[in-house]
PDB file of all heavy atoms in Angstrom:
ATOM      1  N   PHE T  76      -1.258  -1.934  11.838  1.00 88.00           N
ATOM      2  CA  PHE T  76      -1.483  -0.859  10.892  1.00 88.00           C
ATOM      3  C   PHE T  76      -3.014  -0.613  10.786  1.00 88.00           C
ATOM      4  O   PHE T  76      -3.804  -1.516  10.850  1.00 88.00           O
ATOM      5  CB  PHE T  76      -0.985  -1.205   9.495  1.00 88.00           C
ATOM      6  CG  PHE T  76       0.500  -1.307   9.402  1.00 88.00           C
ATOM      7  CD1 PHE T  76       1.114  -2.539   9.328  1.00 88.00           C
ATOM      8  CD2 PHE T  76       1.294  -0.189   9.366  1.00 88.00           C
ATOM      9  CE1 PHE T  76       2.492  -2.667   9.207  1.00 88.00           C
ATOM     10  CE2 PHE T  76       2.651  -0.265   9.283  1.00 88.00           C
ATOM     11  CZ  PHE T  76       3.265  -1.534   9.221  1.00 88.00           C
ATOM     12  N   THR T  97       2.661   7.352   3.643  1.00 86.00           N
ATOM     13  CA  THR T  97       3.614   7.695   4.664  1.00 86.00           C
ATOM     14  C   THR T  97       2.952   7.706   6.043  1.00 86.00           C
ATOM     15  O   THR T  97       3.489   7.181   7.022  1.00 86.00           O
ATOM     16  CB  THR T  97       4.274   9.050   4.374  1.00 86.00           C
ATOM     17  OG1 THR T  97       4.928   9.007   3.093  1.00 86.00           O
ATOM     18  CG2 THR T  97       5.260   9.444   5.447  1.00 86.00           C
ATOM     19  N   LEU T  98       1.753   8.286   6.111  1.00 85.00           N
ATOM     20  CA  LEU T  98       1.016   8.281   7.375  1.00 85.00           C
ATOM     21  C   LEU T  98       0.689   6.890   7.836  1.00 85.00           C
ATOM     22  O   LEU T  98       0.823   6.524   9.016  1.00 85.00           O
ATOM     23  CB  LEU T  98      -0.248   9.107   7.252  1.00 85.00           C
ATOM     24  CG  LEU T  98      -0.069  10.605   7.010  1.00 85.00           C
ATOM     25  CD1 LEU T  98      -1.413  11.273   6.737  1.00 85.00           C
ATOM     26  CD2 LEU T  98       0.587  11.253   8.195  1.00 85.00           C
ATOM     27  N   LEU T  99       0.247   6.053   6.907  1.00 86.00           N
ATOM     28  CA  LEU T  99      -0.117   4.660   7.183  1.00 86.00           C
ATOM     29  C   LEU T  99       1.062   3.905   7.753  1.00 86.00           C
ATOM     30  O   LEU T  99       0.982   3.237   8.771  1.00 86.00           O
ATOM     31  CB  LEU T  99      -0.660   3.984   5.939  1.00 86.00           C
ATOM     32  CG  LEU T  99      -0.997   2.509   6.093  1.00 86.00           C
ATOM     33  CD1 LEU T  99      -2.401   2.391   6.619  1.00 86.00           C
ATOM     34  CD2 LEU T  99      -0.909   1.815   4.744  1.00 86.00           C
ATOM     35  N   THR T 100       2.236   4.057   7.106  1.00 86.00           N
ATOM     36  CA  THR T 100       3.407   3.312   7.553  1.00 86.00           C
ATOM     37  C   THR T 100       3.975   3.861   8.868  1.00 86.00           C
ATOM     38  O   THR T 100       4.690   3.169   9.586  1.00 86.00           O
ATOM     39  CB  THR T 100       4.531   3.290   6.506  1.00 86.00           C
ATOM     40  OG1 THR T 100       4.911   4.646   6.224  1.00 86.00           O
ATOM     41  CG2 THR T 100       4.094   2.584   5.258  1.00 86.00           C
ATOM     42  N   ASP T 101       3.617   5.110   9.208  1.00 84.00           N
ATOM     43  CA  ASP T 101       4.075   5.708  10.445  1.00 84.00           C
ATOM     44  C   ASP T 101       3.093   5.506  11.603  1.00 84.00           C
ATOM     45  O   ASP T 101       3.258   6.061  12.681  1.00 84.00           O
ATOM     46  CB  ASP T 101       4.343   7.202  10.282  1.00 84.00           C
ATOM     47  CG  ASP T 101       5.623   7.461   9.496  1.00 84.00           C
ATOM     48  OD1 ASP T 101       6.443   6.538   9.394  1.00 84.00           O
ATOM     49  OD2 ASP T 101       5.792   8.578   9.036  1.00 84.00           O
ATOM     50  N   GLY T 102       1.988   4.755  11.341  1.00 81.00           N
ATOM     51  CA  GLY T 102       1.073   4.409  12.434  1.00 81.00           C
ATOM     52  C   GLY T 102      -0.104   5.354  12.617  1.00 81.00           C
ATOM     53  O   GLY T 102      -0.782   5.292  13.644  1.00 81.00           O
ATOM     54  N   ILE T 103      -0.355   6.245  11.683  1.00 80.00           N
ATOM     55  CA  ILE T 103      -1.470   7.163  11.784  1.00 80.00           C
ATOM     56  C   ILE T 103      -2.734   6.460  11.317  1.00 80.00           C
ATOM     57  O   ILE T 103      -2.745   5.811  10.259  1.00 80.00           O
ATOM     58  CB  ILE T 103      -1.248   8.439  10.929  1.00 80.00           C
ATOM     59  CG1 ILE T 103       0.065   9.087  11.299  1.00 80.00           C
ATOM     60  CG2 ILE T 103      -2.417   9.394  11.043  1.00 80.00           C
ATOM     61  CD1 ILE T 103       0.169   9.563  12.718  1.00 80.00           C
ATOM     62  N   ASP T 104      -3.839   6.607  12.059  1.00 79.00           N
ATOM     63  CA  ASP T 104      -5.124   6.011  11.675  1.00 79.00           C
ATOM     64  C   ASP T 104      -5.763   6.916  10.628  1.00 79.00           C
ATOM     65  O   ASP T 104      -6.070   8.083  10.906  1.00 79.00           O
ATOM     66  CB  ASP T 104      -6.033   5.879  12.909  1.00 79.00           C
ATOM     67  CG  ASP T 104      -7.304   5.132  12.627  1.00 79.00           C
ATOM     68  OD1 ASP T 104      -7.621   4.876  11.452  1.00 79.00           O
ATOM     69  OD2 ASP T 104      -7.969   4.777  13.608  1.00 79.00           O
TER      70      ASP T 104
END
Side-chain angles (χ1 to χ4, degrees):
F76 292 104
T97 301
L98 294 173
L99 178 84
T100 59
D101 286 344
I103 306 297
D104 188 347

